[in-house]
Amino acid sequence: MQQAINLIQSSENILILSHKNPDGDAIGSMLGSAEGLKSIGKKVKCFSKDIVPSVFDFLPEVSQIKNKINPEHQNLIVLLDCALFSRTGIDGIEDIVSSFDNLLIIDHHPKNKTECDNVKNCVEIIDHKTSSTAVLVFNLLKEMKINISKDIANCLLTGIFTDTGGFQHNNTDSESLQAAAEFMKKGSRVDKIAKNIFSTKSLAAIKLWGIALERIQTDPENGMAVSYINKSDMDNLGVKEEELMGLVNVINTISDAKFSLLLTESMNNKIKGSLRSEEYKGIDVSRIARSLGGGGHKLASGFEINNTDSSKSVEEIRKAILKNNL
Ligand SMILES: [Mn+2]
């Protein structure tokens, strides 16, 4: 922690990066840390390869997360909610980060490799037992005696809220709830965040959820509940991929299923898989995700398969998962 503070204190220009397909924790942690660092006079830029899903438009200063950035000298790069530059998904990331003095990684994903293996002046705050990167950012800002404004509170509470599935997943711990209580004291409201995240769906999106729910198949042998969404399903209803956020959690409410999988055919010929399970079901879905080139947490993880020649059907991927892992 003290090394991280030293890095920040000696840095004027700070670039904050997170992973591709940014989720609430990535976005909330970026915005919350940016506000905190700006409040002590730092020049901060936030960059994400993928646009921020519109469900997060309610967050303060969300437009400061840019999708375009020029390679320029940075004193410090802060990598949030992931630990490798490759996870940012940015083409030519090496050029963008080629000129920086220091690197700070703040993450809560279990891992064996981090960018600190490749970079000399690097500090990592990594704790896979923490519910969210937002909690780690909060601890750092507190340690730096940075005033937690209502805006910072809203951003970081959104990170905790989304990564704990609205305080329902098994990573919801006293530390997350204590942090949430601090944020509420600053004027942030869990109910408002919940409304913005969960209750802003379009009719078309709900109909598409219905199609996916209709398609669920369960496999009594391995306990998988699986469904899929094709790109044409989204096109026909005019639904954006980001509106599928949370769908896999609904599939995961089937009590007989040991784990759930949602396959989504996304743009640029990729098939995305989202996996969920519950602690008491005794399945580590990150193992499945890793075997397919992805990663994540034991009970919530994901992978992405290139399908440039459209050679793989959802059915083939489903079979491959069965064959390799179970
Ligand atoms: Mn996270």
Side-chain angles (χ1 to χ4, degrees):
M1 192 68 94
Q2 192 51 50
Q3 287 174 319
I5 293 169
N6 293 345
L7 279 193
I8 290 167
Q9 278 168 348
S10 64
S11 304
E12 173 93 12
N13 293 302
I14 301 176
L15 174 65
I16 302 179
L17 303 173
S18 188
H19 54 77
K20 57 185 171 181
N21 302 316
D23 55 16
D25 190 30
I27 294 158
S29 296
M30 285 176 96
L31 294 173
S33 52
E35 285 314 298
L37 295 175
K38 278 190 216 168
S39 75
I40 54 164
K42 304 297 175 187
K43 293 195 188 104
V44 186
K45 286 181 182 165
C46 298
F47 177 67
S48 163
K49 182 211 170 205
D50 297 306
I51 57 162
V52 172
S54 55
V55 70
F56 298 112
D57 283 353
F58 73 97
L59 287 174
E61 306 284 341
V62 69
S63 61
Q64 71 177 300
I65 301 180
K66 303 291 183 201
N67 309 112
K68 289 205 170 63
I69 198 149
N70 297 323
E72 56 189 329
H73 179 77
Q74 301 291 340
N75 301 121
L76 172 66
I77 289 180
V78 181
L79 191 56
L80 293 177
D81 206 36
C82 61
L84 288 167
F85 284 140
S86 59
R87 287 280 297 126
T88 64
I90 301 165
D91 292 330
I93 179 76
E94 299 307 328
D95 290 339
I96 291 170
V97 302
S98 60
S99 151
F100 64 93
D101 302 323
N102 303 305
L103 177 64
L104 169 61
I105 298 173
I106 306 178
D107 190 20
H108 70 124
H109 291 91
K111 57 189 41 81
N112 33 38
K113 269 196 311 185
T114 83
E115 209 62 48
C116 280
D117 302 337
N118 314 320
V119 173
K120 208 167 67 175
N121 293 328
C122 183
V123 174
E124 44 189 36
I125 298 175
I126 296 181
D127 184 357
H128 74 268
K129 290 198 180 79
T130 305
S131 68
S132 51
T133 296
V135 168
L136 297 173
V137 169
F138 177 50
N139 292 343
L140 178 62
L141 297 183
K142 262 195 314 190
E143 195 72 24
M144 294 182 76
K145 311 262 188 311
I146 287 176
N147 175 49
I148 305 297
S149 65
K150 186 180 172 184
D151 280 357
I152 295 176
N154 275 326
C155 295
L156 296 181
L157 184 53
T158 298
I160 302 175
F161 185 86
T162 51
D163 258 26
T164 57
F167 303 109
Q168 291 179 45
H169 293 160
N170 84 316
N171 59 353
T172 308
D173 53 4
S174 59
E175 190 185 28
S176 314
L177 291 169
Q178 266 160 5
E182 296 286 326
F183 298 143
M184 290 191 77
K185 277 185 207 161
K186 302 288 177 185
S188 190
R189 296 276 303 267
V190 174
D191 61 318
K192 287 196 177 157
I193 289 169
K195 187 169 184 306
N196 277 297
I197 303 282
F198 290 143
S199 308
T200 47
K201 290 184 187 66
S202 65
L203 175 62
I206 287 294
K207 289 191 172 179
L208 184 55
W209 282 43
I211 292 172
L213 298 178
E214 185 71 39
R215 282 181 187 152
I216 295 174
Q217 286 181 301
T218 54
D219 191 322
E221 272 187 26
N222 57 56
M224 174 166 71
V226 59
S227 188
Y228 63 94
I229 299 263
N230 292 319
K231 194 171 172 301
S232 59
D233 299 323
M234 286 187 268
D235 291 345
N236 291 341
L237 283 161
V239 172
K240 283 181 282 179
E241 208 177 314
E242 64 184 62
E243 295 181 271
L244 303 179
M245 190 178 79
L247 172 54
V248 68
N249 297 325
V250 176
I251 301 173
N252 197 40
T253 57
I254 301 171
S255 62
D256 295 341
K258 284 195 172 162
F259 69 102
S260 57
L261 167 65
L262 176 67
L263 294 165
T264 309
E265 197 182 23
S266 62
M267 295 206 297
N268 50 41
N269 297 313
K270 288 193 160 93
I271 293 181
K272 266 190 218 165
S274 302
L275 291 152
R276 296 288 184 278
S277 190
E278 299 287 351
E279 183 71 38
Y280 69 92
K281 292 179 173 175
I283 293 253
D284 178 357
V285 291
S286 70
R287 200 172 52 86
I288 302 172
R290 273 199 304 276
S291 75
L292 291 158
H297 305 282
K298 194 178 149 197
L299 302 178
S301 55
F303 58 88
E304 205 171 66
I305 294 174
N306 277 318
N307 200 27
T308 16
D309 50 0
S310 302
S311 60
K312 295 185 194 79
S313 68
V314 167
E315 186 56 25
E316 281 169 325
I317 291 171
R318 193 177 78 92
K319 281 186 186 153
I321 290 169
L322 295 184
K323 206 172 73 195
N324 290 342
N325 300 290
L326 302 163

